[in-house]
Amino acid sequence: MPDIFYVLLRRMRTPLIVLIVVYSVAVLGFTLIPGQDAEGQPWHMSFFHALYVVSYTASTIGFGEIPYAFTDAQRLWMMFVIHLTVIGWLYSIGSLLTVLQDPAFRRLRTEYVFQRSVKRLRTPFYLVCGYGDTGGILIKALADEGIKAVVVDRDENRLNALELNDYIRRPLGLLADAAKPAVLEMAGITNSYCIGVIALTDSDQTNVMVALSAHLLNPNLRVLARVESAEAAASIRSFGKNEVINPFETFAGRLAMAIHSPGMYTLFTWMTGVPHEPLREPLFPDRGLWVICGFGRFGTALHRHLEAAGIPMQVIDPDPITNQTPAGAIIGSGVEATTLQQAGIKQAVGVVAGTNDDVSNLSILMTARELRRDIFMVARQNQRDNSVVFDRADIDLLMKRGDVIAHKIFALLRTPLISDFLETAREHDNDWANQMVSRILGVVSDEVPYLWEIKINKVRTPALYKACLMEQVQLRDLLRDPRERVKSLPAIPLLLKRDGKATMLPELDKPLEVSDRLLMCAAWPISDEMRWATQNENVLHYLLTGQETSGGDLWGRLLQNR
Amino acid sequence: MNSEKVVFGFFILLALTLNFGFFIGDIDNIAHHNVYELFAALVVSLIATVLKFGDRTHLGAIFLATSLVADLQLLMAALIWGYAAHISPTGLDTEATVAIVSFSGGALLANIVSVILLLAETMTVRR
């Protein structure tokens, strides 16, 4: 039995005893006090009648004096009983309500309900620690994909927000400190349906603790942790097969990519987009001098990335000594026109407002626009709540930290092949990326491309699995339209993984083999058509041979015998 | 001295002795069995049961179980008495009396088990 019942029973002891005593005293009194029957003979109430009278008196129903009119002695006792039982009931019900309202008891109850619902989960789920900006976007994306999530956060307001959000598959939330292993256990870290733990709290200490507990409690779990310091990252990487995400590094890397190879940036954003997100136009910033405002942890990472790409920069920072800015940095915040002019805004092609303060970032960009109308503006948005103003400011490239990280994690979770693809894509140049972008533009409409994985095995793709065992299936056959096989579906096979070796953009005449994994890219409705062919033997048969079979097994045998 | 133990011991023993007082006498003679004693035994037994609510120990669970058995049997005895005296056309006859007393005998056995458990618990306490 869970703790909650013991607490309830223990607290209800006194009120229950009071009720028993009150009832027994009242009943006993009625049986002892003599009454008079209709003929005036002395009469004693039996326990049966006494209990009957007390029952309707105590519950305030009030039924009169039965079976005979009471004597004065009985009426006196009746008065006493009425008051006694009412007080007894009030006290007991009051105690029960007090117990139910008690904050400690309520916490126990919510924990109990949470624990029970976690135990009842019968679908794979992710355990997400921390429901901030990043966690919010990630959980929404997971919910839209139909993946369950269990959320642990210390902030009550955030959990309330989770409850108010309208998700298709409502995530379970628990108000607790994720740094405690007992909490993680309650949240289902040892549950066999838990497929991964994502640590997104704002404390490195907590994230390391989560990764460590996951490794010790359930070593097969996939762990993704957000970590800001190098030491914490190293400590998480040192055990298990964990993945570490440094928000500043990831974010700066993405921004640097947007500046030095915009085509690649567009490709990356599309690949890691959340399904059904509107497609953003490719960017075309010029090559030349960039002005970077703010040289904190983010600015440092950005500087390193840009320097590696050989892009000239001018740094503006209010505190060059503590932040260890490179030589030649301008002292100032960038919100004044003079510092921007000093930094050479007139010759620059772009400006990055990268401080950790949204107000300064907006102000920098407004000032820069005053000085030069056509400059390429990049803003870092720290707070999600500020979206309204940032969206209005007409900024060329808006980087939301929460978005970048949540999208990266989501892509890693949904299909691991995406990371293989992006890893290989990095080796190519911007022109290659531009070509890819235009190819993808050809197959999608106004939403980001939908990426999915086709795994040739018995369970997920039974028809394709069978076909691959019996005959040669080419990739081209899979891409045929199930409604008219001479046409091909607008989909791009991005990657083929066979025996741990990944092939980018596999040839269309490549024969498929069992246990191949394919990463496909198309508009969302197309994915369904292709899944249909991999699962339905008749459809696949039509794609391969052009012959239509509509029957089941029996029909097939008849045809063969003829 | 643990006052909780005193109270519980008191009620368990009281339940046993009251029960015994009711049970003793000829099994088919209602004059040997006092209705007030049955009432007292039932009330005391109920209180003893509630006193064991929320006890997480193994022994506490067994106490609760035996108490519930005693309650159930006494309640049955009381119900039979009420039925025989007020509803049954034959009234409180020998058959009903025998049933009432046997049920209270069953409750007595459960109460004895409770007291044995109490004694065993007391013996094992080293302090």
Side-chain angles (χ1 to χ4, degrees):
Chain A
M1 253 203 302
D3 293 352
I4 177 166
F5 290 129
Y6 286 105
V7 173
L8 187 65
L9 285 176
R10 190 174 274 267
R11 299 255 181 107
M12 286 313 288
R13 267 185 203 173
T14 325
L16 282 176
I17 289 175
V18 166
L19 266 190
I20 293 173
V21 170
V22 163
Y23 263 71
S24 51
V25 168
V27 168
L28 192 65
F30 274 119
T31 59
L32 292 176
I33 296 167
Q36 273 181 339
D37 65 10
E39 284 88 43
Q41 296 299 311
W43 169 75
H44 272 277
M45 218 184 251
S46 70
F47 275 104
F48 177 73
H49 284 128
L51 188 62
Y52 175 56
V53 171
V54 171
S55 297
Y56 67 63
T57 309
S59 55
T60 69
I61 293 170
F63 219 58
E65 302 173 344
I66 24 183
Y68 309 112
F70 283 0
T71 60
D72 283 343
Q74 279 177 314
R75 288 195 178 142
L76 183 68
W77 182 246
M78 183 60 141
M79 257 191 303
F80 177 67
V81 165
I82 289 171
H83 291 278
L84 195 70
T85 48
V86 165
I87 291 169
W89 272 119
L90 280 183
Y91 169 68
S92 312
I93 292 176
S95 308
L96 182 66
L97 289 181
T98 316
V99 177
L100 293 180
Q101 294 296 313
D102 187 53
F105 185 78
R106 275 165 67 184
R107 210 188 50 236
L108 261 181
R109 197 174 49 182
T110 44
E111 274 175 14
Y112 171 64
V113 170
F114 172 81
Q115 218 168 349
R116 211 178 39 180
S117 1
V118 169
K119 249 187 217 139
R120 275 204 200 137
L121 282 178
R122 284 292 172 271
T123 43
F125 67 93
Y126 281 102
L127 172 56
V128 181
C129 305
Y131 186 70
D133 272 2
T134 317
I137 302 160
L138 180 66
I139 282 169
K140 186 175 176 343
L142 287 175
D144 288 347
E145 268 294 275
I147 302 171
K148 264 272 185 202
V150 174
V151 182
V152 177
D153 199 298
R154 259 194 325 197
D155 190 340
E156 193 163 7
N157 295 333
R158 292 196 205 142
L159 272 181
N160 288 342
L162 174 75
E163 208 163 296
L164 291 176
N165 266 325
D166 191 23
Y167 294 128
I168 303 168
R169 304 200 83 181
R170 182 175 291 283
L172 299 168
L174 177 69
L175 181 71
D177 186 358
K180 291 181 188 149
V183 168
L184 295 175
E185 208 169 5
M186 203 175 353
I189 203 167
T190 50
N191 191 318
S192 52
Y193 286 98
C194 182
I195 39 178
V197 176
I198 302 153
L200 294 175
T201 65
D202 44 18
S203 138
D204 274 8
Q205 196 72 26
T206 307
N207 292 341
V208 173
M209 189 62 202
V210 170
L212 203 62
S213 322
H215 180 62
L216 292 175
L217 294 175
N218 193 349
N220 295 322
L221 274 190
R222 199 164 165 207
V223 178
L224 278 116
R226 167 200 149 149
V227 163
E228 285 174 13
S229 73
E231 302 88 67
S235 96
I236 289 186
R237 279 213 184 88
S238 61
F239 53 84
K241 41 178 183 178
N242 304 329
E243 281 181 76
V244 178
I245 288 159
N246 182 332
F248 294 107
E249 203 53 47
T250 311
F251 187 53
R254 238 356 130 68
L255 187 48
M257 188 190 279
I259 292 170
H260 65 69
S261 36
M264 197 65 93
Y265 170 77
T266 311
L267 186 66
F268 268 59
T269 346
W270 288 0
M271 294 287 121
T272 58
V274 174
H276 310 301
E277 197 182 31
L279 199 60
R280 258 174 278 154
E281 287 296 306
L283 299 163
F284 302 104
D286 295 328
R287 286 212 148 221
L289 179 71
W290 280 78
V291 176
I292 296 173
C293 304
F295 201 76
R297 277 185 290 187
F298 165 68
T300 317
L302 179 62
H303 186 265
R304 198 175 56 246
H305 281 278
L306 285 183
E307 203 163 46
I311 289 179
M313 281 164 293
Q314 182 57 259
V315 174
I316 303 179
D317 192 88
D319 192 0
I321 292 149
T322 13
N323 287 338
Q324 298 176 323
T325 52
I330 314 273
I331 303 174
S333 63
V335 295
E336 322 85 352
T338 43
T339 36
L340 282 177
Q341 267 161 344
Q342 244 180 314
I345 194 89
K346 294 278 183 210
Q347 301 89 50
V349 292
V351 57
V352 179
T355 70
N356 58 8
D357 176 34
D358 281 351
V359 183
S360 312
N361 286 348
L362 274 176
S363 164
I364 289 165
L365 294 179
M366 292 306 117
T367 319
R369 182 177 283 162
E370 287 295 311
L371 295 172
R372 246 190 84 183
R373 289 228 62 87
D374 59 335
I375 197 154
F376 195 92
M377 292 190 295
V378 180
R380 161 186 175 186
Q381 183 188 330
N382 300 289
Q383 298 289 323
R384 203 169 160 69
D385 307 338
N386 294 336
S387 283
V388 189
V389 258
F390 272 97
D391 289 345
R392 272 296 181 86
D394 192 24
I395 293 157
D396 295 294
L397 177 59
L398 184 61
M399 297 289 282
K400 299 177 195 168
R401 197 175 76 179
D403 277 16
V404 170
I405 296 149
H407 288 193
K408 180 170 178 180
I409 294 176
F410 181 66
L412 285 173
L413 293 185
R414 197 168 55 127
T415 122
L417 284 184
I418 292 181
S419 61
D420 283 307
F421 177 79
L422 294 182
E423 207 58 48
T424 329
R426 261 179 220 281
E427 290 158 16
H428 295 79
D429 60 358
N430 194 40
D431 293 336
W432 178 87
N434 279 333
Q435 276 174 20
M436 269 314 295
V437 165
S438 52
R439 259 191 86 180
I440 291 171
L441 263 182
V443 297
V444 296
S445 49
D446 50 352
E447 280 180 0
V448 286
Y450 186 83
L451 301 183
W452 76 100
E453 194 178 317
I454 296 177
K455 206 174 188 173
I456 305 181
N457 62 18
K458 216 171 183 171
V459 187
R460 304 257 303 264
T461 54
L464 188 58
Y465 173 80
K466 228 167 154 184
C468 282
L469 283 181
M470 295 198 302
E471 56 198 305
Q472 207 188 53
V473 181
Q474 290 184 355
L475 189 50
R476 184 190 309 281
D477 296 323
L478 212 55
L479 282 169
R480 289 181 201 277
D481 191 333
R483 291 167 209 286
E484 211 182 334
R485 74 187 281 272
V486 282
K487 282 204 237 164
S488 64
L489 288 172
I492 309 170
L494 290 178
L495 189 93
L496 174 75
K497 197 159 186 179
R498 182 176 293 170
D499 307 327
K501 213 175 126 273
T503 322
M504 283 288 258
L505 300 170
E507 304 291 326
L508 285 186
D509 50 8
K510 200 165 181 110
L512 295 174
E513 284 174 20
V514 168
S515 80
D516 274 0
R517 287 161 72 197
L518 272 168
L519 181 67
M520 303 295 302
C521 160
W524 181 70
I526 304 296
S527 68
D528 264 357
E529 304 250 321
M530 270 188 86
R531 278 205 197 104
W532 188 29
T534 62
Q535 288 163 2
N536 187 317
E537 281 184 40
N538 293 335
V539 178
L540 190 65
H541 185 74
Y542 168 68
L543 291 188
L544 293 173
T545 60
Q547 291 168 349
E548 289 203 50
T549 52
S550 54
D553 203 27
L554 190 66
W555 188 245
R557 278 186 207 166
L558 278 175
L559 280 179
Q560 271 173 3
N561 290 345
R562 204 169 50 179
Chain B
M1 199 172 76
N2 187 339
S3 63
E4 202 179 315
K5 290 261 182 278
V6 174
V7 172
F8 179 64
F10 171 77
F11 275 101
I12 282 279
L13 271 175
L14 193 59
L16 174 68
T17 46
L18 285 170
N19 205 334
F20 179 73
F22 176 78
F23 175 73
I24 198 143
D26 287 346
I27 197 165
D28 53 354
N29 187 352
I30 199 69
H32 291 183
H33 307 283
N34 188 327
V35 70
Y36 288 102
E37 196 140 26
L38 176 62
F39 176 70
L42 178 57
V43 169
V44 170
S45 181
L46 281 175
I47 292 177
T49 310
V50 172
L51 280 175
K52 273 295 135 189
F53 272 10
D55 191 336
R56 294 202 71 165
T57 58
H58 181 68
L59 211 58
I62 305 292
F63 267 129
L64 188 60
T66 53
S67 269
L68 284 172
V69 169
D71 290 347
L72 199 67
Q73 306 237 21
L74 288 175
L75 215 55
M76 282 306 293
L79 281 176
I80 291 169
W81 195 314
Y83 177 81
H86 293 278
I87 303 161
S88 157
T90 53
L92 201 58
D93 55 2
T94 319
E95 201 183 335
T97 310
V98 169
I100 292 165
V101 178
S102 350
F103 269 112
S104 79
L108 181 67
L109 209 56
N111 274 327
I112 291 173
V113 172
S114 274
V115 172
I116 292 172
L117 285 175
L118 186 71
L119 289 177
E121 192 191 22
T122 318
M123 297 296 179
T124 52
V125 173
R126 300 250 177 264
R127 284 167 282 119

